[in-house]
Amino acid sequence: ALAGLINIVTNRPTRTFESDVKLTAGNYGMVGLGGVISNSINDRSRFRIAIEKYSDDGFMNNDYLGRNNTNGHDELTVRAKFDTDLSESTQLKFTAGLIDVDNGYDAFSLDNNRITRSDQPGQDRHDASFVSAEVGWNGNNKFDLIGRFGIANSDIDYGYDEDWTHVGFDPWEYSSTDRYLRDRATSTAELRLVSNPSHRIFRETTEWSVGAYLLDQDVDLRREYTYLSAPYQSTFSVRRIAVFGETRSDLGGDIRLTLGLRSEHHQSDYGDSENVQFDPSDSMFGGRFAVEYQWDPSTRVYASLSRGYKAGGFNTDGTLDADLRRYEPESLMNFEIGLTRSWSDDASLIRASIFRMDRHDVQIASSLTRVRSDGSAEFIDYVGNAAEGSNIGVEMEVSTHLSNQLRLFANVGMLRTEYRDFVSASGENYSGRDQAHAPEHQYSAGVEFSIAQGWLVNYTLEGRDAFFFSDSHDEKSRAYNLSHLKIGYETDQWSLAVWGRNLGDKDYFVRGYYFGNDPRDYYTARAFTQLGEPRRYGITFRYHWR
């Protein structure tokens, strides 16, 4: 993946009783309550249920409405899992859940602070339900069969006050809201054959897996916008079919070779109420070739060459011309070498890697501004394709125990990016410029120590260099450093922690725009920014039963 990949694997049901309760409270009205229960039903079946509710007021104060919760959060997640052994050779894993998000959206300030003036704050709602099943069969002595199937349905409601102010704010004002209502239905299926560890191929040296993947997705959109005479509507569907395979071979001499290939066909259909239609069809492929060498029991080095891709798609936000609605697939080649070493029974660890990515038909987050006859403007975010790009970087992770009570840790990343042969939608030549949201360095470092039995203190400092907010203008964030502290007490059954994030209450920018939206300066184009999280503090209690 372009910037790495995070794979979140939630816990499966346990064969013995297990339960957790977690309660969190903090400033800005933060309250969180979560619970988990897991147990066996009989000798063959097990279940696990997890529920979490979270809410806070957000970090914005609406000066016009006299409210501090117009950008608040109200989120509920429920997940249930059921595992059963249908026979000695067949296992079934079933998961179902729902997500109920009812957040406010009032995030834009004319003065680049946390004070808003909107009279029609927006919303960011997401109601989703999902089910999935995995069937595993190991009745063959040469391979195992795994089938995965999933269905997810989502209703998404996102909207905001486009003028950021209220009626009567300024004689040059305008008043507008923009709202996007989406219905999304997604189905997936995967079938995979995995070699049995006792029956490898090529003289018992090579493990293998082959499979096929199918995705079917339909999205319906209704846009309700003040400046449209009738709601804008669009529909698009995506069909993906992929086949893949991988081998992992022991070549002897502690050398291991991995070869993986994936081919995917991507078919889309798009149509909207403005009679714009597309039906692109793309065939893409990716793969990975990697060599690992186990230098000694504590040291592993590797080198890999891989090709990845991102499918194309459609822009459905904003009043865009037909030629900007669609964007093309992107591909990249990545070369990486790295090392992992541990010392003293894993008490100390270092991971380091160097990589170079060459990107083709880069998908970038662009923007343009449409000026209306009344002098106001519509700011439109959209995805487009640049020409070429390169990313070169170094990453390092270090963790060491100086004693049984003291641990030091650090993560450091250095990155150099640039575009080649890239001219923006406004005609600016950005060849040689850094890519957006790509700081040249970022880090996280800290110390963790036990001051007495059960007591734990963790102090972390993190920071990043300045970066461009967008590939459409020259506004940049400032470099910043943040500090965090956690003090806790733990036993085998319960824990209590007091924590604080951004202890210095530093203002730092995470997003930035460049256009005109302030009637006080007659809608002159200038920078608008959004601030990151302010100082947060709270207390978290957890109790565990077994």
Side-chain angles (χ1 to χ4, degrees):
L2 177 62
L5 183 68
I6 298 174
N7 183 28
I8 299 174
V9 182
T10 56
N11 292 327
R12 300 303 309 179
T14 55
R15 294 184 180 273
T16 58
F17 176 79
E18 183 177 297
S19 182
D20 275 287
V21 172
K22 185 177 72 171
L23 175 63
T24 299
N27 61 336
Y28 292 96
M30 180 180 68
V31 176
L33 176 63
V36 175
I37 184 169
S38 179
N39 202 359
S40 60
I41 301 173
N42 52 44
D43 292 341
R44 289 190 171 188
S45 303
R46 304 157 296 282
F47 77 93
R48 183 181 184 90
I49 299 174
I51 303 174
E52 185 162 13
K53 175 73 172 180
Y54 175 85
S55 64
D56 66 36
D57 293 332
F59 318 125
M60 309 299 287
N61 289 301
N62 190 304
D63 190 54
Y64 175 72
L65 297 177
R67 292 170 53 190
N68 67 351
N69 63 350
T70 52
N71 202 50
H73 302 87
D74 184 1
E75 303 175 350
L76 171 68
T77 57
V78 180
R79 185 172 59 253
K81 296 188 174 184
F82 175 76
D83 291 358
T84 186
D85 302 322
L86 299 178
S87 67
E88 291 185 0
S89 60
T90 307
Q91 302 82 39
L92 171 65
K93 297 179 180 180
F94 181 80
T95 302
L98 63 86
I99 299 170
D100 184 2
V101 173
D102 189 10
N103 297 339
Y105 196 78
D106 189 23
F108 301 107
S109 169
L110 291 177
D111 298 314
N112 294 332
N113 55 25
R114 294 191 178 93
I115 298 175
T116 65
R117 299 182 175 89
S118 54
D119 55 358
Q120 301 178 81
Q123 65 286 327
D124 189 4
R125 303 186 181 114
H126 190 166
D127 294 325
S129 60
F130 57 90
V131 294
S132 67
E134 177 182 307
V135 180
W137 179 72
N138 55 9
N140 187 291
N141 62 359
K142 294 184 178 181
F143 61 84
D144 297 338
L145 177 65
I146 301 173
R148 298 187 177 102
F149 312 91
I151 298 174
N153 293 289
S154 300
D155 293 327
I156 304 168
D157 180 0
Y158 163 72
Y160 58 96
D161 190 328
E162 188 184 38
D163 56 278
W164 304 3
T165 60
H166 55 86
V167 175
F169 173 71
D170 188 273
W172 284 82
E173 70 187 21
Y174 74 102
S175 180
S176 173
T177 60
D178 204 358
R179 186 179 185 184
Y180 298 84
L181 299 143
R182 290 180 173 88
D183 293 328
R184 178 181 296 155
T186 305
S187 301
T188 60
E190 179 184 300
L191 189 64
R192 185 183 298 232
L193 298 177
V194 181
S195 62
N196 190 298
S198 61
H199 286 80
R200 300 180 179 185
I201 58 176
F202 302 134
R203 298 183 179 180
E204 304 296 325
T205 63
T206 302
E207 302 172 355
W208 58 268
S209 62
V210 295
Y213 173 81
L214 172 67
L215 178 141
D216 188 304
Q217 185 177 81
D218 296 291
V219 181
D220 296 333
L221 167 68
R222 176 185 174 91
R223 182 192 185 198
E224 299 174 353
Y225 184 41
T226 300
Y227 286 90
L228 291 177
S229 57
Y232 166 86
Q233 298 186 71
S234 71
T235 61
F236 71 85
S237 60
V238 176
R239 308 288 183 270
R240 295 186 186 179
I241 300 175
V243 292
F244 55 87
E246 184 178 78
T247 59
R248 297 172 297 278
S249 303
D250 293 323
L251 302 183
D254 296 317
I255 299 176
R256 188 171 189 176
L257 175 68
T258 299
L259 175 63
L261 294 172
R262 180 184 180 97
S263 177
E264 181 173 315
H265 182 73
H266 185 275
Q267 176 69 50
S268 301
D269 292 288
Y270 171 89
D272 62 29
S273 54
E274 297 179 352
N275 294 320
V276 177
Q277 294 184 338
F278 299 107
D279 58 351
S281 177
D282 298 302
S283 294
M284 299 164 287
F285 72 94
R288 180 172 184 261
F289 176 83
V291 178
E292 301 178 17
Y293 176 54
Q294 195 70 38
W295 190 295
D296 57 44
S298 301
T299 308
R300 181 179 68 94
V301 295
Y302 70 89
S304 70
L305 178 65
S306 57
R307 186 184 194 275
Y309 58 81
K310 291 169 63 179
F314 309 102
N315 294 292
T316 56
D317 289 6
T319 310
L320 285 168
D321 296 327
D323 62 330
L324 296 178
R325 286 286 178 197
R326 179 189 169 191
Y327 54 92
E328 301 292 335
E330 174 185 349
S331 64
L332 69 87
M333 293 293 296
N334 179 57
F335 177 71
E336 180 176 336
I337 57 175
L339 173 146
T340 299
R341 178 170 175 79
S342 59
W343 291 269
S344 304
D345 297 325
D346 296 328
S348 297
L349 173 73
I350 181 171
R351 294 189 181 98
S353 64
I354 303 173
F355 63 88
R356 177 187 173 94
M357 296 180 178
D358 287 308
R359 305 172 62 186
H360 307 280
D361 293 322
V362 182
Q363 294 176 6
I364 60 171
S366 300
S367 65
L368 57 83
T369 304
R370 294 277 172 80
V371 180
R372 306 186 187 97
S373 58
D374 61 2
S376 63
E378 179 189 8
F379 179 82
I380 306 171
D381 274 321
Y382 70 97
V383 176
N385 291 96
E388 309 291 330
S390 64
N391 298 24
I392 302 172
V394 177
E395 294 179 337
M396 181 175 293
E397 175 187 354
V398 178
S399 177
T400 182
H401 283 84
L402 299 182
S403 68
N404 291 333
Q405 291 77 34
L406 182 62
R407 181 175 75 96
L408 302 179
F409 56 91
N411 295 274
V412 179
M414 307 292 291
L415 181 65
R416 181 70 179 94
T417 67
E418 70 172 5
Y419 286 119
R420 299 189 299 271
D421 303 322
F422 171 40
V423 178
S424 70
S426 61
E428 296 288 335
N429 188 344
Y430 284 151
S431 297
R433 199 181 90 152
D434 293 347
Q435 297 169 21
H437 288 275
E440 290 193 358
H441 72 260
Q442 51 187 328
Y443 73 92
S444 174
V447 57
E448 183 176 274
F449 58 93
S450 304
I451 54 179
Q453 185 174 2
W455 287 94
L456 190 70
V457 177
N458 183 298
Y459 176 79
T460 304
L461 187 68
E462 68 165 304
R464 65 182 56 193
D465 195 16
F467 56 85
F468 285 106
F469 287 125
S470 171
D471 298 305
S472 305
H473 54 75
D474 294 328
E475 298 301 323
K476 300 181 71 173
S477 77
R478 297 193 297 260
Y480 62 84
N481 302 282
L482 308 175
S483 57
H484 318 294
L485 178 66
K486 175 184 176 181
I487 302 174
Y489 182 79
E490 298 181 358
T491 71
D492 292 338
Q493 199 165 34
W494 62 272
S495 65
L496 182 68
V498 178
W499 50 266
R501 298 196 296 265
N502 188 8
L503 296 178
D505 199 24
K506 292 189 176 182
D507 288 340
Y508 61 100
F509 301 124
V510 294
R511 293 197 67 190
Y513 315 88
Y514 186 83
F515 72 117
N517 205 43
D518 192 339
R520 298 172 299 184
D521 59 14
Y522 308 105
Y523 300 111
T524 301
R526 64 179 178 88
F528 294 102
T529 53
Q530 287 183 311
L531 292 167
E533 189 179 66
R535 180 191 293 124
R536 301 294 307 276
Y537 53 84
I539 184 170
T540 299
F541 172 77
R542 175 172 291 188
Y543 195 87
H544 181 70
W545 289 273
R546 283 192 177 181

